[in-house]
Amino acid sequence: MVTSYKGLNLIKKWEGIHDGDLKQIGLQPKMDPVGIWTEGYGRAMRKPDGNFAKGIEDKKWAYDNITISSEKEAEEALRVDIRPVERLVVSKIKVPLNQNQFDALVTMFYNIGFSTTLTKLINSKASKSTIYNWWTTHYVTGQGNPKPLPGLVKRRKEEATLFFS
């Protein structure tokens, strides 16, 4: 399976096009809510040592190492970046998925990386309410803050709703 336009548009909606300095021409990196420098539609920037560029101390490095400077490049990068996520969903989910379910999982995993618990719930055919409740109450905080971030709460609800549509 591959992510449909519905899934791509959901990622684009919630990631947004990252432009850290609206006064400059083209796109610039932006720090996400957990302090990681990103570009395009949420592509995390990694330094040569493999670690994420993170925090204000890495701003100059992020700006000096940008690889995405236009919306077209951001779209192309997103298509490249979701391929491993699509393969992850295909390899880990052992039950049949419809397109909306696949898109919802790709959207979530693109944002969080992966969830063993959610995968187990889906593969074990847990009830709709169990999966929906788990989906909408996990991965909604950032930077060790126990308080849910409103944008992540809305995103998880939209992903879970798509999964069950």
Side-chain angles (χ1 to χ4, degrees):
M1 294 184 86
V2 296
T3 308
S4 74
Y5 283 106
K6 189 184 286 186
L8 286 170
N9 288 335
L10 190 58
I11 292 171
K12 288 163 70 173
K13 172 186 174 180
W14 287 109
E15 293 294 337
I17 189 87
H18 291 207
D19 193 358
D21 188 345
L22 298 175
K23 295 176 186 171
Q24 293 186 29
I25 295 173
L27 301 175
Q28 292 79 43
K30 181 178 178 181
M31 253 196 313
D32 73 5
V34 297
I36 296 172
W37 285 96
T38 60
E39 59 180 336
Y41 289 108
R43 176 183 272 185
M45 299 179 77
R46 289 187 182 270
K47 295 170 29 175
D49 64 6
N51 291 321
F52 291 120
K54 195 168 184 181
I56 196 68
E57 62 274 7
D58 283 338
K59 180 178 182 176
K60 181 176 179 355
W61 182 92
Y63 272 67
D64 289 347
N65 290 279
I66 189 167
T67 62
I68 299 171
S69 58
S70 70
E71 193 168 348
K72 181 181 180 201
E73 290 173 354
E75 176 90 24
E76 291 168 358
L78 176 59
R79 291 180 183 279
V80 169
D81 292 347
I82 64 169
R83 295 293 177 248
V85 181
E86 291 169 338
R87 288 192 296 273
L88 181 68
V89 171
V90 168
S91 71
K92 298 294 185 180
I93 301 297
K94 304 301 181 191
V95 296
L97 297 173
N98 66 37
Q99 187 66 54
N100 287 342
Q101 291 171 322
F102 183 80
D103 287 354
L105 285 165
V106 169
T107 300
M108 183 185 198
F109 292 169
Y110 180 78
N111 182 241
I112 69 162
F114 181 67
S115 169
T116 302
T117 303
L118 180 59
T119 301
K120 285 179 181 177
L121 289 172
I122 292 167
N123 284 336
S124 68
K125 299 181 182 178
S127 70
K128 176 181 177 178
S129 62
T130 299
I131 294 171
Y132 186 89
N133 182 58
W134 189 93
W135 198 314
T136 58
T137 58
H138 290 77
Y139 297 99
V140 294
T141 62
Q143 280 189 315
N145 183 351
K147 186 176 179 184
L149 299 172
L152 287 177
V153 170
K154 290 176 186 173
R155 179 179 183 155
R156 297 295 167 249
K157 284 182 180 177
E158 192 166 349
E159 291 164 348
T161 299
L162 177 61
F163 186 85
F164 288 107
S165 65

